[in-house]
Amino acid sequence: MTLTEQLSPDAAGIARAVDWLRQGQPVAIPTETVYGLAADARSGAAVAAIYAAKDRPAFNPLIVHVADVAATQRLAHLPEIALRLAEAFWPGALTLVAPLREDAGLSSLATAGLETVGLRVPAHPVAQAVLRAFGGPLAAPSANASGRISPTSADHVLDPEGGLAGRIQAVVDGGPCPVGVESTILGFEGDRVVLLRPGGVAVEEIEAVLGTPVVLQADPAKPSAPGQLSSHYAPRAALRLNADAPRAGETFIALTGDDPLALSDTGDLTQAAARLFDVLRRADRLGRPIAIAPVPEMGLGRAINDRLRRAAAPRPGA
Ligand code: TXA
Ligand code: MG
C-alpha cells in the first residue's frame, strides 16, 4: 500500500510526476478525454506496473501518447490518409492504429505483441507538459481498475471504490476532463478508415474531413480493439437503457433537465459526454438500480451509447 501523492499541475508537480515516470512508476495524468495511467512505453517493467495497478488482462494493448505528430512518425508508419486525420484532429481526442516501425523501441507489452500500435497526441496542457518534460512515449490506459468506470477527475482516480488510491505513486490533478469520454479509435485497411471505438471526436467530423464514409467494424462480435464488447465501464448497480421513465425503486438519469443527475441542461450531447462518467458514479452511490433515458445515436451520442451498452452488459463472474 502506497500513499498516493496528489500533485498540482504546476512546474513542481509536473517535475515530481516525471521523476516517478523516470523511475518506472506509473502516474495518473489528466487528458482532455479521461485521466490516463501513464508509464514509460519503452520499458516492459513500467508497462507491467500499469497492468498490475489496474488488474488488467495482459492481452489488451495500450494507447501510446506522444507530444506531437513528428513523434508518432518515429513509432509507426502512418498511411497518407492517417496524416490527413492527424493534421485535422491532433492534438485531440483521436487514436490512430498504424503499423509499428521496427525501430520504434516500444515494449511489446505496451502493444500486446501486435504489429500495430494505437497512437494519440493529447491536447490537454498538463498531458502536453508531462510528455514534453518526460521526453518519450507514454503508454496510458484509463486510470481506473480494469472494467470499472473511467475517471474524469483526480477524485475519481482516488475513489476508494474502483479507483487506484494506494495502488499508484501519484496523480496530477488537472481538474475535470473537458471531453469526458475516451478517444475515438480508427484503424486503416487499404484506403478504408475503420471505426474501432466511437469516442470524443464525432464520426460526422471525421467523415467531413475524409469526404467519404467511415467503415464500421465488420464483425462487432470479433472486435480488433480487444475488450470492446464484454462488460466494461461497469457501475455496481444494474443499468436499464432507453428508459422513458423510472420504475419503482430505480434511480433515473435523464438526458436533459435541471435534475442534478441529468446528463445535460440543454440536451447538448457534447455536454452529456463530459458529464457521463461522473453522473454514473453519483447514481451508483445511491445504491439502487439505475434507469437511463435514450440518447440519440449521433455526434458524441454514439460514444455515450457505446459506453452505456457495455456498462449494461452481463458482468463476467456476476
Ligand atoms: O481517451 C483515451 O483513449 C484514453 C486516454 C487515457 O488516452 N485511453 C484509453 O485507453 O481509453 P484504454 O487502454 O482504456 O483503451 C485503449 C483501447 C483498447 O480497447 C485497446 O484494445 C485499443 O485501444 N488498442 C490499443 N492498441 C491497439 C491496436 N494496436 N489495435 C487495436 N486496438 C488497439
Ligand atoms: Mg479504459
Side-chain angles (χ1 to χ4, degrees), residues 34-35 54 56 60 140-151 182 197 232-233 277 307 310:
V34 300
Y35 275 68
K54 282 181 62 86
R56 180 173 187 148
N60 218 351
S142 51
N144 51 280
S146 190
R148 307 308 294 269
I149 299 173
S150 295
E182 293 88 344
R197 176 178 76 182
H232 210 72
Y233 312 96
F277 290 139
R307 305 309 185 269
R310 283 190 260 159

